[in-house]
Amino acid sequence: MFKYPRLIKMGLNLWPPFLFSGIKISELANDYRYLKVELKHSRLTLNANRTQFGGSIYSMTDPVYSLLLMANLGHKYHVWDKSAEIDYVYPGHTKLIATAHLSQSVLDDILLNTQHGEKYFPKFQFNVVDLEGRLVAKVNRTLYVRLKAAYRKNNNV
């Protein structure tokens, strides 16, 4: 597991794709099982309709579950984003918030399905909400997880 969640959080908040898009990790649990990300509301984050830019809404969820899984699965696993889709439900007129929770049962499921080197594609959903709790967007992400070749019992899988 990554050792320093405070440094990881700070690094992500300084990462140009987040920093220049108004995206901020506001909370990251020490065990990497919970993360809260926010998209600020400012002239720089709005689209032509004066609502939150859809690309930033999408981006705020980009590395989240990959980070949580890499931290919990460790260096023996490849973890990548495979695909994603977004459903814009309501215009974002305020700061937006999304949270990610990684349960032990999800980790157990991933470990079970990758133990012999198989590729596995867990799915995660984000609900992006505004400050009043209204659903602004649903983001579905599919990840790719696989045990690295050096740690597989049968390297031909």
Side-chain angles (χ1 to χ4, degrees), residues 75-120:
H75 70 280
K76 294 181 180 181
Y77 286 83
H78 291 292
V79 178
W80 299 88
D81 273 312
K82 183 180 182 316
S83 64
E85 64 181 9
I86 189 165
D87 180 19
Y88 298 103
V89 177
Y90 187 83
H93 295 287
T94 67
K95 175 169 60 172
L96 302 181
I97 300 164
T99 58
H101 302 269
L102 186 59
S103 69
Q104 186 60 49
S105 63
V106 168
L107 287 171
D108 291 344
D109 184 54
I110 291 169
L111 292 171
L112 178 67
N113 284 285
T114 59
Q115 66 184 335
H116 301 294
E118 303 89 349
K119 299 173 189 175
Y120 189 59

Side-chain angles (χ1 to χ4, degrees), residues 26-113:
S26 58
E27 296 178 38
L28 177 58
N30 288 336
D31 64 357
Y32 292 90
R33 300 282 182 100
Y34 172 80
L35 185 144
K36 180 178 177 183
V37 61
E38 301 175 352
L39 173 60
K40 72 179 176 181
H41 184 269
S42 76
R43 284 185 285 162
L44 299 176
T45 65
L46 302 181
N47 62 24
N49 295 313
R50 310 296 294 152
T51 61
Q52 291 284 24
F53 176 60
S56 295
I57 295 171
Y58 187 76
S59 294
M60 71 189 285
T61 67
D62 188 6
V64 172
Y65 274 105
S66 293
L67 169 74
L68 298 181
L69 285 177
M70 286 188 290
N72 278 278
L73 295 174
H75 70 280
K76 294 181 180 181
Y77 286 83
H78 291 292
V79 178
W80 299 88
D81 273 312
K82 183 180 182 316
S83 64
E85 64 181 9
I86 189 165
D87 180 19
Y88 298 103
V89 177
Y90 187 83
H93 295 287
T94 67
K95 175 169 60 172
L96 302 181
I97 300 164
T99 58
H101 302 269
L102 186 59
S103 69
Q104 186 60 49
S105 63
V106 168
L107 287 171
D108 291 344
D109 184 54
I110 291 169
L111 292 171
L112 178 67
N113 284 285

Side-chain angles (χ1 to χ4, degrees), residues 116-117 146-157:
H116 301 294
R146 189 173 191 189
L147 195 61
K148 290 180 180 176
Y151 300 99
R152 294 182 211 149
K153 292 178 185 170
N154 179 357
N155 286 339
N156 295 326
V157 177

